[in-house]
Amino acid sequence: MRLLVVGAGATGGYFGARLVRADRDVTFLVRPGRAAVLRERGLRITGAGEDDRIDARLVTAAELRDSHGSDGSYDLVLMSVKATALAQAMEDIAPAVGPSTAILPVLNGIGHLDALSARFGTAAVLGGVALLATSVDARGDIVVLAPGATLTLGDQRGGAASPRAGRALELLGGAGFDVTVSENILAEMWHKWVFIATAGAITCLMRGTVGDIVSVPGGTEYAKAVLAETAAVSAAAGFPLPDERFATLQTTLTQPDSSFGPSFYRDVMAGRPTEVEHVFGDLTSRAAALSVSTPLMDLATMNLRVYEHRNAHTAV
């Protein structure tokens, strides 16, 4: 079976490299600039005991169009792009999507499922949740910040695995990271969304790590209040967090001396664009539609919108 990994960054690059090492048929769809870096240095993974280099099979969007025509020939498309690149990515993968192709996006939030389903059909688009701690350094290498990686997938409509989900599990399993099929993948996605939105909101608004926030008066209460808001939205949407899961998230987000700062926070501190609309804006819009009050998330959303506006104005 053939796998197309869309993007070779912190998420797609890591999973794709592990799959190459497991002798899977993997091709990376990358932009020309990223392709040049990977052809010169190889796809490298370092940190947390990792030290690997692979010569990845690469293709650009133009090459994919020229070589595959319109009928597609990939069994699975693993999409690991930022939400801001989703529209272009959908155009780029179109030649690789055939009648039986499964598309597995591992983006944050949930709105991307609607866009992908509208373009390729609900049955073709699986839900997915990736949990790992990686980043890309200035040389373009993937740095593992903490060991361990998991990938959860499932059919949007829930229930037992469809043939597409089963093939995806077969292709992705046994490659050095945990892969499971969930019978309620939407709940898994919502619960990750709660965590990502809360962690991003508290650290970006305060411009500090979890440890920085809880070290000052009111910090712990603030983190708990934001988590309560996001969890309330998930519950109103039909996906309440189990008490144990909620308690675990609360502990993680109020841990004294924690150096944790999510990718949102790292992007802001580095002056990079964020996925504010896909992760924050979509959540607050759904909250309003569900009549759930989210004043702290609204504030964090406006804060990052101002940040994006200033970045765009400075770039001009």
Side-chain angles (χ1 to χ4, degrees):
M1 291 189 290
R2 304 186 66 218
L3 168 64
L4 182 68
V5 178
V6 186
T11 299
Y14 179 85
F15 285 126
R18 297 280 73 84
L19 289 159
V20 171
R21 284 296 181 214
D23 295 324
R24 309 299 155 80
D25 188 344
V26 181
T27 300
F28 293 88
L29 174 58
V30 292
R31 294 178 179 177
R34 181 62 170 156
V37 171
L38 295 176
R39 287 178 177 131
E40 177 183 352
R41 290 186 54 78
L43 179 55
R44 297 173 183 253
I45 300 179
T46 64
E50 299 267 10
D51 185 13
D52 196 11
R53 178 191 184 280
I54 68 167
D55 292 315
R57 183 188 300 126
L58 309 174
V59 65
T60 64
E63 293 166 344
L64 189 66
R65 288 194 299 271
D66 292 342
S67 61
H68 291 277
S70 60
D71 57 354
S73 57
Y74 286 89
D75 297 282
L76 177 65
V77 177
L78 178 64
M79 297 191 67
S80 59
V81 299
K82 293 278 192 180
T84 50
L86 178 63
Q88 184 60 55
M90 288 195 298
E91 295 298 321
D92 293 344
I93 69 170
V97 178
S100 62
T101 300
I103 302 171
L104 175 57
V106 288
L107 287 71
N108 292 322
I110 207 165
H112 56 277
L113 292 183
D114 295 334
L116 285 162
S117 297
R119 178 66 186 272
F120 299 106
T122 301
V125 182
L126 303 173
V129 173
L131 297 176
L132 69 168
T134 53
S135 64
V136 177
D137 66 16
R139 297 173 298 180
D141 300 342
I142 298 169
V143 180
V144 179
L145 304 175
T150 66
L151 188 57
T152 305
L153 62 95
D155 293 287
Q156 292 186 58
R157 293 167 179 163
S162 67
R164 276 188 173 90
R167 288 195 301 271
L169 179 64
E170 180 183 352
L171 181 54
L172 298 170
F177 53 88
D178 293 333
V179 186
T180 58
V181 174
S182 170
E183 294 189 357
N184 193 356
I185 191 62
L186 293 183
E188 299 285 349
M189 294 176 69
W190 265 95
H191 296 168
K192 182 187 177 184
W193 194 5
V194 166
F195 175 67
I196 292 297
T198 304
I202 65 174
T203 57
C204 290
L205 190 57
M206 294 296 117
R207 297 298 194 268
T209 64
V210 165
D212 294 329
I213 294 165
V214 302
S215 68
V216 302
T220 297
E221 292 74 17
Y222 163 66
K224 289 180 177 180
V226 177
L227 177 60
E229 287 186 3
T230 58
V233 181
S234 186
F239 305 100
L241 271 76
D243 291 344
E244 183 178 351
R245 182 74 177 273
F246 182 88
T248 298
L249 294 186
Q250 185 167 266
T251 298
T252 299
L253 295 169
T254 58
Q255 189 69 38
D257 301 320
S258 171
S259 62
F260 175 62
S263 58
F264 254 89
Y265 171 72
R266 296 195 298 272
D267 285 342
V268 168
M269 298 307 290
R272 295 188 293 260
T274 69
E275 297 176 297
V276 57
E277 296 304 334
H278 192 70
V279 178
F280 288 17
D282 190 21
L283 186 72
T284 55
S285 293
R286 291 173 190 258
L290 294 165
S291 299
V292 177
S293 177
T294 56
L296 294 174
M297 278 303 305
D298 292 344
L299 181 62
T301 303
M302 183 169 64
N303 177 272
L304 280 193
R305 282 172 172 163
V306 171
Y307 163 84
E308 297 289 355
H309 173 79
R310 286 180 61 86
N311 276 0
H313 182 75
T314 301
V316 173

